[in-house]
Structure formats: structure tokens, C-alpha cells
């Protein structure tokens, strides 16, 4: 059983998705308040979903929204400082990669979307992780939680999603590198992957069950969730 804590500082970051909403819902069961930052959805056709989430977030008194420009390293540093000020300290940083899908042929791929995906959904994670791990290393404690939602393959009649899987592959490779190096760091790093689209609430509960039970042996582990069959690695 979990208990609501007023002192547990939880910071969440990611793009608008069903997964981040599910994780935020689980977070609200455990703390009086938490900070959360969304990657701005500047891509074609996804602005409405981002606006809907912002409207919901404004009525959620437990969620403290933070502004984030992922393409700026200065913004990452400013946001982490702001999160620390609001929480006293960040105990757990949960970074969620569930990139938007942009289905287009290579020839018709919008150049602006290419630039946005690289800046916001690839470079942005490196900038943010650098700032968070600097805080954890200086404090000699903290938990970095890396979460990604595998993108299902497109049907044979669907246009290819070129950008989403590319940004996800970058985050997955970054996660693997950080997990491999985790035992050399004074803080804890764990990862979670989910291949069961549409079961985000169960995945979020699975994620927190393992975070709540974290111990020294957890460091460097990747926990895999697949619906009825949960595999631990």
C-alpha cells in the first residue's frame, strides 16, 4: 500500500500523451503536489490535444506546471531550479518518452516538423538529463526514472511514421547507456518500457509499484511491462 507524502519531491516531464496523464494520476495518489513539464506540441495537427491537457492541468491543484523549451539548455537549467524551489528538492525525476506520430511519406515530410522533433524530442532529453543528474550527483542521492512507450508498427496501408520511431530510438539508446553506467553514479537510475498500447493506467501502476519498492539492487534495471505478462530484466 502507498501513503500520501508531503515531502517526496516528484518531477515529471514528457510530451502530451495518455501515458503521461496516467502517470500523473498515479502520482496524485502519493503526494500532496508535484511538478510537471510538457514538451510544447508545435507539430502539425497536435495542438488541440496539448490545449486540452493544459486546460485539465489548470484545474488540478496538485500539479504544478512548469514552462519548458526543450531546445534550450538554459531552459532546462531554469526549469530544474524552479522545480527544486517548488518541491524543496527533487527526489524522483520521471521522464516519459511517448513521441507523437507523424505519418507522412519521406518526400512530403514537413521540414519544420523534422527540426522540431530533433530539437524538442531528442536534444531536449539530453539537456534535461544533464541538469537533473548534476543535481543528483552533487547531492549524492536521487532517482532518475526513464520511461518509454514503444510505438506499434504501422499497417501496410498506413503512411510511415518516420519521426516518432526515430526520436523513440534515441531515447531508448540513451536509457540503455544510462542504465549501463548507473552503478558508477551516486544516485539511482531505473528504466521502464511498455509495449501494451491502450493499457497506460496499468503501466503507470506497475511503474509506481516498482519505484515505491526501490532498493540498491534496483539500480540499472529495466522493467518491462506487457499487460498480462510483466517481465523483469
Amino acid at each position: 500500500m502507498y501513503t500520501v507524502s508531503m515531502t517526496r519531491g516528484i518531477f515529471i516531464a514528457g510530451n502530451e500523451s495518455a501515458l503521461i496523464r496516467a502517470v500523473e494520476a498515479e502520482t496524485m495518489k502519493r503526494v500532496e503536489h508535484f511538478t510537471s513539464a510538457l514538451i510544447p506540441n508545435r507539430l502539425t495537427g497536435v495542438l488541440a490535444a496539448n490545449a486540452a491537457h493544459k486546460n485539465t492541468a489548470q484545474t488540478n491543484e496538485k500539479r504544478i506546471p512548469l514552462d519548458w523549451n526543450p531546445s534550450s539548455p538554459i531552459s532546462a537549467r531554469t526549469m530544474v531550479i524552479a522545480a527544486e524551489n517548488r518541491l524543496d528538492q527533487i527526489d524522483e525525476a520521471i521522464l516519459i518518452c511517448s513521441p507523437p506520430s507523424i505519418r507522412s511519406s519521406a518526400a512530403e515530410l514537413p521540414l519544420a516538423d523534422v527540426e522540431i522533433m530533433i530539437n524538442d524530442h531528442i536534444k531536449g532529453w539530453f539537456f534535461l538529463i544533464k541538469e537533473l543528474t548534476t543535481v543528483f550527483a552533487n547531492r549524492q542521492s536521487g532517482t532518475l526514472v526513464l520511461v518509454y512507450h514503444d510505438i506499434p508498427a504501422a499497417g501496410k496501408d498506413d503512411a510511415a511514421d518516420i519521426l516518432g520511431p526515430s526520436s523513440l530510438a534515441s531515447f531508448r539508446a540513451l536509457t540503455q547507456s544510462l542504465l549501463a553506467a548507473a552503478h558508477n553514479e551516486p544516485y539511482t537510475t531505473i528504466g521502464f518500457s511498455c509495449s501494451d498500447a491502450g493499457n497506460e493506467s496499468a503501466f503507470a501502476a506497475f511503474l509506481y509499484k516498482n519505484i515505491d519498492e526501490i532498493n540498491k539492487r534496483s539500480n540499472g534495471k529495466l522493467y518491462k511491462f506487457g499487460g498480462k505478462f510483466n517481465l523483469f530484466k
Side-chain angles (χ1 to χ4, degrees), residues 148-208:
Y148 58 87
H149 202 169
D150 288 322
I151 299 174
K156 63 179 182 179
D157 295 328
D158 296 330
D161 180 8
I162 299 174
L163 296 179
S166 297
S167 61
L168 177 62
S170 173
F171 188 89
R172 186 191 294 117
L174 176 58
T175 296
Q176 292 170 349
S177 296
L178 292 171
L179 293 176
H183 298 289
N184 298 321
E185 303 293 349
Y187 52 85
T188 300
T189 304
I190 57 175
F192 291 87
S193 69
C194 176
S195 59
D196 190 7
N199 204 9
E200 287 80 9
S201 294
F203 178 40
F206 169 80
L207 181 150
Y208 262 115

Side-chain angles (χ1 to χ4, degrees), residues 18-136:
L19 181 54
I20 198 169
R21 291 195 299 271
V23 172
E24 287 184 350
E26 281 294 320
T27 306
M28 287 187 285
K29 300 176 182 178
R30 289 165 170 78
V31 292
E32 290 296 324
H33 61 268
F34 63 95
T35 56
S36 180
L38 286 178
I39 297 174
N41 280 337
R42 299 183 288 157
L43 298 163
T44 304
V46 295
L47 294 177
N50 187 49
H53 183 74
K54 283 188 175 181
N55 290 338
T56 301
Q58 288 173 356
T59 62
N60 180 358
E61 294 182 354
K62 288 192 172 186
R63 180 184 185 273
I64 303 173
L66 298 175
D67 292 328
W68 182 24
N69 176 7
S71 65
S72 166
I74 296 175
S75 177
R77 182 175 305 170
T78 302
M79 181 174 62
V80 170
I81 292 172
E84 291 248 282
N85 289 338
R86 301 301 296 270
L87 299 171
D88 290 333
Q89 70 177 30
I90 300 172
D91 298 302
E92 296 156 14
I94 304 175
L95 311 186
I96 303 169
C97 179
S98 183
S101 175
I102 304 173
R103 299 201 178 276
S104 169
S105 67
E108 297 176 347
L109 197 62
L111 294 181
D113 284 354
V114 174
E115 186 172 12
I116 289 168
M117 286 293 287
I118 292 173
N119 286 335
D120 291 0
H121 295 268
I122 296 180
K123 287 169 58 178
W125 290 121
F126 285 88
F127 295 151
L128 179 55
I129 287 170
K130 181 212 170 4
E131 296 302 327
L132 289 167
T133 54
T134 297
V135 169
F136 290 160

